[in-house]
Amino acid sequence: MQGKHLFEYAVIRVVPRVEREEFLNVGVILYCRDQGFLHTLYTLNESRLLAFAPHLDMQELQDRLQAFERICCGRREGGRIGELGIAERFRWLTAARSTIVQTSPVHPGLCTDANETLHKLFRQLVL
């Protein structure tokens, strides 16, 4: 399979009440070691989210998702986690947690272009 690269991804979910285990997909995070790629795409459909959970603080959600972006980019903007290697940042972002923003289990696949694959998964799983 020449030209194919292993990638891993997870869906980013908003889980307003953790005990109910109900969620809405709002983004995707994708990591491809061979291409040095770690990026996330997300969207906050405010009317849909507020219909699902009227008490949500949209600014808090935006802040948390922007933190995902900064960590993916690395460097100082991502804080101490942003200074870790690319694989460690992906593992940290996709670790199980009991907060309003969670990720699905990590899924693998093969791609030729990680950025194109991220956009395709975003269209399929979020939009």
Side-chain angles (χ1 to χ4, degrees):
M1 281 215 219
Q2 189 176 24
K4 295 283 187 177
H5 304 280
L6 178 66
F7 72 89
E8 298 174 77
Y9 77 93
V11 178
I12 301 170
R13 302 168 168 171
V14 171
V15 186
R17 293 181 52 199
V18 176
E19 69 277 7
R20 290 182 59 125
E21 298 183 9
E22 297 172 335
F23 60 85
L24 286 175
N25 294 344
V26 297
V28 176
I29 181 170
L30 189 139
Y31 163 61
C32 179
R33 183 192 69 183
D34 292 349
Q35 295 183 5
F37 186 91
L38 176 61
H39 291 280
T40 186
L41 287 178
Y42 68 88
T43 186
L44 290 178
N45 182 327
E46 191 169 335
S47 60
R48 185 173 181 217
L49 284 162
L50 291 175
F52 180 61
H55 66 282
L56 283 177
D57 180 337
M58 296 304 292
Q59 186 58 54
E60 178 186 356
L61 280 177
Q62 183 70 35
D63 293 345
R64 289 178 185 235
L65 292 167
Q66 286 174 343
F68 265 65
E69 281 184 318
R70 287 191 305 274
I71 291 168
C72 283
C73 289
R75 303 179 305 277
R76 290 180 189 226
E77 295 84 2
R80 294 181 76 190
I81 303 303
E83 294 180 359
L84 296 174
I86 191 170
E88 290 85 0
R89 294 194 317 264
F90 178 72
R91 300 286 174 244
W92 190 88
L93 288 167
T94 57
R97 48 181 54 86
S98 294
T99 66
I100 194 167
V101 176
Q102 298 181 16
T103 58
S104 71
V106 173
H107 305 283
L110 294 173
C111 70
T112 54
D113 182 319
N115 189 53
E116 181 180 297
T117 301
L118 173 64
H119 283 83
K120 177 181 175 186
L121 288 169
F122 182 73
R123 286 189 306 273
Q124 291 175 339
L125 302 172
V126 178
L127 297 181

